[in-house]
Amino acid sequence: MPAHRNTESVLFGALGVLGFSGTLPATRAAVGELGPVMIAPRAWVAPLLVLASVALSRWSQVHPRPP
């Protein structure tokens, strides 16, 4: 693997970890302000987005783009 690809991978990985690390404090602050009833739809939206992305990735593997 070329060095620039490795560096790019490490940077994107660090960016993902940094972005994910902000979700817990943000959720705690939101629950404190809005209450659990307003935050509960997040429990449905996140899995639906994951299912959609998995379906799209599987569809793209079955139906590859022409060259």
Side-chain angles (χ1 to χ4, degrees):
M1 177 184 290
H4 72 281
R5 292 287 292 168
N6 191 25
T7 304
E8 184 179 288
S9 300
V10 169
L11 289 175
F12 278 126
L15 183 63
V17 169
L18 182 64
F20 185 74
S21 69
T23 60
L24 180 63
T27 302
R28 285 187 179 180
V31 168
E33 292 294 318
L34 300 174
V37 174
M38 294 296 291
I39 304 301
R42 179 187 178 276
W44 288 99
V45 172
L48 291 176
L49 291 174
V50 168
L51 287 173
S53 66
V54 168
L56 285 174
S57 69
R58 288 184 185 233
W59 186 81
S60 66
Q61 289 176 356
V62 173
H63 304 288
R65 290 188 218 168

